[in-house]
Amino acid sequence: MSARRAAAAVALGACAVGVGAASLALDPAQTITPDAAWRASAGLGAAVAWLLAAVGAGGGLLSRLDPALLDGPRGALHALVVGLLVWGLGAFGLATAGLLHPTAVVLLGAVLASGWLLRPRLVLPRVEPAVAFALLVVAVPGLIDALAPPIDTDELYYHLALPRKMLEAQGLVGGFLNPSGSRPMALHLPFACLLATGGEAAPKLAHLGLTLALLVGVVEVGRAHLHPRAGVWAVVLMATSWNVGHDAGLAANNLPTALAVLAALDAGLRGRWRGMALAGGAALSLKYTAAAALVGCWLVARAPLSRRVVAGALALALVAPWWVTNAAHGLHPLFPFAGWPGDLPFQYLERYGAGRAPLDFALLPWNAVMTGELHSNRFLGRLHPLWLVAGLAAVLGLARPGGRRVAAAAAIAGVGWAMGPHWLRYLLPGMPLLALAGGHGLARATPTQPGWARTAALGGLVACLIAGLPANLGPLYTEAADRLPAAFGQQDRDAYYRDRYAPWAAVAWANEHLPEDARLALMFDWSSYLVERPVVLGSVEDHTPVRHWLNAHGDRSLIDLQAHGVTHVLVRRTRFLRKLYPFLSEADLERDFDGPVAALDALLLAEATLVFEQDGSRVYRLEAPSDKKGSTEP
């Protein structure tokens, strides 16, 4: 391109940006309010800046460790994953030293961005029209979710709550009072950096960017190793499934983990054991449920066994800092997934899916795709029915060596998921492998030459695709439309939560009336991120932290909370329904579930004063039993 044409293109782009900004500023209806536009701009600016810094850091490191991985359009995929790993480890160092404050965070960003000084060779992927349309299908509701106030349970107790807690503490949190903080924080520490520099929307917009990068990466990996159209079909499978679209605009860790798993697969198929080690370490540091998919990638890698062993050891070494941190604080290295006193299970596998009898496992693919429910433990989500067709077609991909390798890795990922909780969100880390295996089969099943066979195959696939859209994209876009007024600032935050979040009345009261130095224990409540005071406990899985505290401390439960500085308790009315735990005996249900609820009610009656109650939530002030006055002052 000549200098004159390049200058004209830049000028045209600047003009378009100016016209767009003017249209927002001069809109007489103020469709998006200035405050909402500023929040969106700040969040988007921070997300873009940090992701570019991460790509620079990863590209710079790989240009020295394994420059061949940067060749071609997949180089950006590896640079992003390695940069995310470096970002997480760098923030871990700051948090361990108690330096997780805005100034140090900005300096960390500058260090990451300095990787661009090494001039890594990166080529942008080519996005064809079909893929661009699939990206828009995911991006539109994802963008609305990212700009709306967070209401997803996992964001409120974990993905946004933990970053905020770490910023408040300027370091790591964890242990029995903050068990979610004892998981690997390789993504949540970057979320903390984003939250500190770009506000609430920044982590969610960054996650949306990682999701879109995942879909583009799937296309490139499929094109490189399987078939020119394998990646396109794989993206169709993913983009039209509710679980992918639902997570895209949230602060979450399943899809970033899938991105790292995809990088590990590509590095393994290229025989780049260093890249496989880095991507594998990144994936495990983001979420342990990547383990089965990574084993599949490890087994099919085109590298000598000795190199694969070294790669596996290096990947585990990259996760080890989180295990060492737990052990140093007297916890099980894998806490909170293991190590609860009294052999208290972290989760009950029998609660999830459609059963765990032999016949249930045989029917698992059918049940997971066709009978999943969006808001219940029956798989907690939905996949497009085209997945079943793709599973059958995957057999056609076994004729090629690359197809056999990817199919084997996908099978191991699928078996690993089947062994764990049958929630579809836990399938997401290995989904790129399954989608590529299925997409390869669909690509092989559709003839390239025009004719009746091609028309019949494509016609049937399109009919199935259309039939599955209402059940998957319908709820996704309906929920996005419901959140649009809040995303654009037409509905204020208080009204948004008042209409949609039952504990909001108690949370809002606590934020307005409790002393600034108050410290809350959340009992059977998920609202950690929304409470504008330091909080402990909260809920994970079946309210495990609260149940453990009450069983372990007995009559001293509230007194021991006061010893940790707790001044108030926010408790949500809770009932554990017998039909949800048919696998437990009456004695176990009473000891581990109903007993702690009754014990808490009795302790609050004796040792605390009720200061607020509404919509099933109560706020108590803690005090010694002899000092109980009955005052309703906070």
Side-chain angles (χ1 to χ4, degrees), residues 319-340:
V319 192
W322 311 103
W323 301 336
V324 172
T325 300
N326 278 350
H329 289 87
L331 302 169
H332 190 287
L334 297 179
F335 185 80
F337 304 100
W340 291 92

Side-chain angles (χ1 to χ4, degrees), residues 1-11:
M1 179 182 292
S2 66
R4 180 176 297 178
R5 292 188 64 186
V10 171

Side-chain angles (χ1 to χ4, degrees), residues 296-334:
C297 296
W298 185 86
L299 289 174
V300 304
R302 289 188 172 99
L305 179 60
S306 59
R307 295 294 192 190
R308 281 184 281 159
V309 170
V310 172
L314 287 175
L316 293 176
L318 291 171
V319 192
W322 311 103
W323 301 336
V324 172
T325 300
N326 278 350
H329 289 87
L331 302 169
H332 190 287
L334 297 179

Side-chain angles (χ1 to χ4, degrees), residues 13 68 88 154 156 200 233 238 266 269 315 326 330 343 391 438 454 470 472 487 493 520 591 597:
D154 282 28
L156 296 183
E200 181 178 89
W233 279 111
M238 295 176 67
D266 180 64
L269 294 179
N326 278 350
D343 296 324
R454 174 182 171 83
N472 284 274
R493 191 180 184 91
L520 274 77
R591 182 190 68 235
V597 174

Side-chain angles (χ1 to χ4, degrees), residues 437-578:
H440 187 208
L442 292 176
R444 295 284 175 193
T446 51
T448 56
Q449 297 299 322
W452 66 268
R454 174 182 171 83
T455 301
L458 287 178
L461 291 174
V462 169
C464 180
L465 178 64
I466 294 173
L469 292 180
N472 284 274
L473 299 188
L476 192 65
Y477 275 77
T478 300
E479 292 172 359
D482 180 62
R483 295 172 186 171
L484 189 61
F488 282 4
Q490 299 294 332
Q491 182 181 31
D492 67 59
R493 191 180 184 91
D494 182 72
Y496 177 80
Y497 281 119
R498 193 168 57 246
D499 293 344
R500 294 166 180 82
Y501 191 64
W504 176 248
V507 170
W509 186 92
N511 291 340
E512 182 177 352
H513 293 93
L514 292 187
E516 291 296 326
D517 60 350
R519 183 177 173 89
L520 274 77
L522 301 187
M523 313 289 269
F524 304 109
D525 183 272
W526 307 89
S527 309
S528 294
Y529 176 72
L530 299 178
V531 178
E532 297 172 2
R533 303 289 188 278
V535 299
V536 298
L537 289 177
S539 289
V540 180
E541 295 298 330
D542 294 297
H543 302 291
T544 304
V546 177
R547 293 189 295 112
H548 159 263
W549 184 270
L550 292 167
N551 277 341
H553 294 260
D555 292 341
R556 292 189 54 84
S557 292
L558 299 184
I559 295 173
D560 290 344
L561 282 176
Q562 287 180 292
H564 288 277
V566 173
T567 60
H568 294 77
V569 172
L570 193 161
V571 59
R572 180 80 181 155
R573 184 181 299 121
T574 301
R575 291 181 60 201
F576 293 101
L577 300 179
R578 186 72 182 91

Side-chain angles (χ1 to χ4, degrees), residues 153-514:
T153 299
D154 282 28
E155 284 189 311
L156 296 183
Y157 90 87
Y158 179 24
H159 297 306
L160 287 176
L162 261 296
R164 202 192 76 178
K165 285 184 179 182
M166 290 188 289
L167 288 173
E168 291 172 349
Q170 296 189 2
L172 298 173
V173 298
F176 291 107
L177 288 175
N178 287 291
S180 290
S182 295
R183 312 183 197 208
M185 293 283 103
L187 184 64
H188 297 82
L189 283 165
F191 280 172
C193 298
L194 288 157
L195 196 63
T197 54
E200 181 178 89
K204 303 164 81 174
L205 288 167
H207 182 272
L208 179 59
L210 293 173
T211 300
L212 300 180
L214 166 65
L215 297 177
V216 173
V218 166
V219 174
E220 294 298 336
V221 172
R223 181 182 291 131
H225 297 292
L226 298 173
H227 187 279
R229 299 193 310 279
V232 176
W233 279 111
V235 165
V236 169
L237 290 170
M238 295 176 67
T240 57
S241 293
W242 181 87
N243 278 85
V244 174
H246 172 264
D247 269 26
L250 305 179
N253 58 355
N254 291 301
L255 294 174
T257 306
L259 180 70
V261 168
L262 179 67
L265 174 70
D266 180 64
L269 294 179
R270 295 164 70 179
R272 314 308 305 179
W273 63 273
R274 291 185 182 90
M276 185 170 66
L278 292 172
L284 280 178
S285 297
L286 297 177
K287 193 158 189 174
Y288 289 144
T289 48
L294 290 174
V295 169
C297 296
W298 185 86
L299 289 174
V300 304
R302 289 188 172 99
L305 179 60
S306 59
R307 295 294 192 190
R308 281 184 281 159
V309 170
V310 172
L314 287 175
L316 293 176
L318 291 171
V319 192
W322 311 103
W323 301 336
V324 172
T325 300
N326 278 350
H329 289 87
L331 302 169
H332 190 287
L334 297 179
F335 185 80
F337 304 100
W340 291 92
D343 296 324
L344 183 69
F346 180 68
Q347 56 188 188
Y348 295 89
L349 299 183
E350 298 87 347
R351 283 198 64 195
Y352 310 103
R356 302 186 74 85
L359 181 60
D360 298 321
F361 280 102
L363 294 175
L364 184 56
W366 173 269
N367 285 333
V369 173
M370 303 300 285
T371 71
E373 298 176 358
L374 301 185
H375 303 295
S376 83
N377 283 331
R378 191 175 182 87
F379 301 107
L380 194 67
R382 191 167 291 152
L383 297 178
H384 195 284
L386 195 59
W387 278 94
L388 292 177
V389 181
L392 296 174
V395 177
L396 300 176
L398 300 179
R400 300 295 183 92
R404 289 195 291 271
R405 289 177 183 270
V406 172
I412 293 170
V415 170
W417 173 73
M419 293 171 61
H422 292 171
W423 272 4
L424 291 174
R425 70 166 61 165
Y426 295 123
L427 186 63
L428 291 178
M431 184 174 281
L433 311 187
L434 295 159
L436 284 169
H440 187 208
L442 292 176
R444 295 284 175 193
T446 51
T448 56
Q449 297 299 322
W452 66 268
R454 174 182 171 83
T455 301
L458 287 178
L461 291 174
V462 169
C464 180
L465 178 64
I466 294 173
L469 292 180
N472 284 274
L473 299 188
L476 192 65
Y477 275 77
T478 300
E479 292 172 359
D482 180 62
R483 295 172 186 171
L484 189 61
F488 282 4
Q490 299 294 332
Q491 182 181 31
D492 67 59
R493 191 180 184 91
D494 182 72
Y496 177 80
Y497 281 119
R498 193 168 57 246
D499 293 344
R500 294 166 180 82
Y501 191 64
W504 176 248
V507 170
W509 186 92
N511 291 340
E512 182 177 352
H513 293 93
L514 292 187

